[in-house]
Amino acid sequence: MLKPLLLITTIFFTAYSSAKLDTLPEEFADFGLDNDLTISYGDLDQLLKITVIDLGRSDRGFRKGQSSIGTRTRAHKNNDTALEANRFYYEEVVKANLKTGFRKIRLSLEQVPEQIPLNELVLSEQLAYWLNLYTTALLKKLIEHYPIFSTEDLLFGDNSLFGDNSLFGDNSLLDEEFITVMGHSLSLNDIQHNIVFKKFGKSKPIVMYGFHQGNIGSPNLRPEAYIGSKVYYQLADNGEEFDNSNRGMQIKGKDRLYLSVYYQQTEALFDDFEQGLKSHIEHYTNGSLKDAVESSKGFKLTIDD
């Protein structure tokens, strides 16, 4: 029987900044108009379907506290988010050697632009490509490091600086340039911040929900590949799931709004971060949560998991 496991971490974010890829390379910068030109992700789609368990939407419930015997037993620290977010079968993937599949798909995706120039694809196809490459590369790296209890040092590196406008220290997995596309060495952060956020994010900040980071507190890992024809629907689904969950937003008191610290990574997507993010979240929340966001005077980015 497959055992669902997830790499868990406590994370702190500061605004992301990088000198890499200040301008998009020509190969990544333009777009085409031929809607018939598409990329197939059938292999990745099948692999995600058998390695990701979909826990469904959050009911915003709380898991009851668990007692333990002995001082070394550690339970999930956040009972309000313990039953949220999809899970990845790290243990079974390692046992079954499915990691080879993720490696082969990642290498195949890196070679796609040599066969079909990205700037000949419509924007939605390009976006799906970058999100799938990011997801495959991230999972391949996390599988290599499994098992690990906390991913904080893995994601942010040794001696990372919090609050000094620098999120990443030495040996950060997210800042490691291990991806090669059209001769350009890229990191996961390059794909997220310097390609997707810069090219697609200003007009459609919903792209923020395409970047799972191996922990419960980040946007969901979907049990399917992103597809150009429905990528914005998939991202909207991720956004609605995240914003209406305990790990995305919590209301305490009459007008005290608390949001996920993940949103600190998205500051560059809004000209007025506080007002822009508030309006964005209000659009994706439902029922009483939408009313609470609308009436709130501000928010704090404090939820991490």
Side-chain angles (χ1 to χ4, degrees):
M1 181 176 179
L2 291 178
K3 181 180 178 183
L5 296 171
L6 185 74
L7 297 181
I8 299 173
T9 182
T10 300
I11 302 180
F12 303 90
F13 291 109
T14 58
Y16 175 78
S17 61
S18 174
K20 290 178 273 186
L21 292 184
D22 283 339
T23 58
L24 284 175
E26 183 180 351
E27 299 93 332
F28 308 156
D30 207 349
F31 66 94
L33 299 175
D34 187 356
N35 285 296
D36 294 328
L37 195 58
T38 62
I39 302 174
S40 173
Y41 300 102
D43 50 359
L44 176 59
D45 196 66
Q46 289 301 311
L47 193 54
L48 290 174
K49 277 181 169 60
I50 65 174
T51 56
V52 178
I53 181 171
D54 189 346
L55 294 187
R57 296 295 179 93
S58 167
D59 63 2
R60 299 187 66 81
F62 287 69
R63 186 183 68 175
K64 294 181 179 179
Q66 295 180 336
S67 59
S68 60
I69 299 175
T71 59
R72 292 186 179 274
T73 302
R74 299 182 65 180
H76 190 284
K77 70 166 191 158
N78 293 340
N79 286 323
D80 53 348
T81 63
L83 303 178
E84 298 186 343
N86 293 346
R87 300 298 201 262
F88 185 77
Y89 293 122
Y90 284 101
E91 184 176 30
E92 293 299 330
V93 167
V94 172
K95 284 183 180 178
N97 206 27
L98 288 174
K99 60 184 178 181
T100 302
F102 283 98
R103 177 181 177 276
K104 289 182 178 179
I105 292 174
R106 191 207 95 202
L107 293 175
S108 175
L109 287 176
E110 288 183 6
Q111 296 168 7
V112 164
E114 297 178 7
Q115 304 167 18
I116 306 175
L118 289 181
N119 54 23
E120 293 184 11
L121 298 172
V122 296
L123 287 174
S124 58
E125 283 291 336
Q126 291 187 37
L127 177 57
Y129 168 77
W130 288 117
L131 294 180
N132 286 327
L133 177 58
Y134 172 97
T135 298
T136 309
L138 172 74
L139 290 175
K140 190 259 183 186
K141 277 292 183 181
L142 293 179
I143 291 167
E144 288 179 0
H145 288 276
Y146 178 84
I148 182 172
F149 179 78
S150 172
T151 59
E152 182 176 322
D153 288 342
L154 182 64
L155 291 173
F156 301 105
D158 304 326
N159 303 314
S160 57
L161 304 176
F162 301 104
D164 191 25
N165 205 31
S166 177
L167 179 59
F168 306 99
D170 299 329
N171 304 314
S172 165
L173 181 151
L174 295 176
D175 227 13
E176 180 184 346
E177 296 179 347
F178 67 95
I179 305 162
T180 304
V181 180
M182 295 298 292
H184 298 279
S185 297
L186 304 174
S187 67
L188 293 167
N189 275 332
D190 282 326
I191 294 176
Q192 179 178 351
H193 297 275
N194 294 323
I195 296 177
V196 173
F197 278 13
K198 285 183 178 180
K199 184 167 184 176
F200 307 92
K202 276 293 186 178
S203 60
K204 295 185 182 295
I206 195 174
V207 298
M208 71 174 77
Y209 298 112
F211 296 97
H212 174 69
Q213 294 184 332
N215 52 73
I216 292 175
S218 63
N220 233 348
L221 173 63
R222 296 186 67 82
E224 62 180 1
Y226 287 98
I227 305 297
S229 61
K230 63 176 184 177
V231 63
Y232 288 111
Y233 166 81
Q234 293 172 302
L235 290 170
D237 185 60
N238 269 14
E240 187 175 348
E241 186 280 328
F242 190 67
D243 288 343
N244 289 280
S245 70
N246 285 326
R247 69 190 201 282
M249 180 175 65
Q250 296 180 19
I251 310 296
K252 298 180 181 179
K254 185 177 180 180
D255 57 0
R256 297 167 62 192
L257 184 64
Y258 295 86
L259 304 178
S260 169
V261 294
Y262 172 77
Y263 285 115
Q264 288 191 13
Q265 292 193 50
T266 71
E267 186 171 353
L269 301 180
F270 303 97
D271 293 327
D272 182 336
F273 178 57
E274 184 164 335
Q275 185 56 48
L277 180 59
K278 180 182 174 182
S279 297
H280 171 84
I281 290 175
E282 183 181 339
H283 179 75
Y284 290 100
T285 47
N286 303 317
S288 60
L289 286 179
K290 181 183 290 290
D291 296 335
V293 175
E294 183 178 4
S295 62
S296 66
K297 298 178 181 179
F299 58 78
K300 293 183 178 180
L301 303 177
T302 60
I303 303 173
D304 69 271
D305 199 342

